Amino acid sequence: SEAKSDLIEDMEELPSTVEDVVQLIAKAFHDRVIFTGRALADAKKCKLRDPNMAWKCLRSMATVLYKLHFEGELPFREIVTRYQDSTPFELAVTESETTRRNKKLSSQRKAFYKGKERDFSSHVKYGNSPGNCLRIHYCADPEGKALVVERCVDHLDLMSTN
């Protein structure tokens, strides 16, 4: 499409930060992946050293995960299995029981989108060590047929880290 061709033409260099990657994904897959203001702010602070890994992760969400969510009537556990089988990333449907029970922590995973409070506990995971870690918290918006990304962080607080 012409828009995609313009996007490539306007790119003077490959993305070199997580923030650059997020902005590119937001343009290239604008109809599939929507980043909230909080996700965009998170991306600026993200310490992942390898922007290519952020690209692989977010691109897999815009392609593989998007199709799993919107091109079949799959239960979430089936989406998890298929996504993990076809990408190097992990998909967590929710957080641990202890994190969910903690009001402060569970509120970090909720946000308003299109006037409704939504749960952004589901997240795609990569890595565990500082500088080599990414968590993309999202929800699937059935009305807008898009994945809405609310957090793009190294890690949100957990009970185990508090």
Side-chain angles (χ1 to χ4, degrees), residues 1-69:
S1 80
E2 207 173 305
K4 290 223 163 94
S5 158
D6 288 347
L7 181 68
I8 300 295
E9 204 169 290
D10 292 344
M11 274 178 66
E12 290 179 26
E13 56 188 25
L14 292 171
S16 59
T17 65
V18 173
E19 182 184 12
D20 291 345
V21 169
V22 163
Q23 289 173 349
L24 180 58
I25 292 283
K27 285 182 194 147
F29 297 99
H30 63 90
D31 53 340
R32 292 180 175 200
V33 182
I34 294 161
F35 294 90
T36 66
R38 192 177 190 185
L40 295 171
D42 281 346
K44 280 185 178 158
K45 298 180 287 200
C46 190
K47 293 178 185 68
L48 180 69
R49 283 189 294 266
D50 182 0
N52 197 39
M53 194 50 77
W55 169 258
K56 285 178 184 172
C57 183
L58 286 161
R59 185 185 164 280
S60 79
M61 290 178 72
T63 55
V64 179
L65 189 58
Y66 178 85
K67 288 175 183 146
L68 290 170
H69 270 290

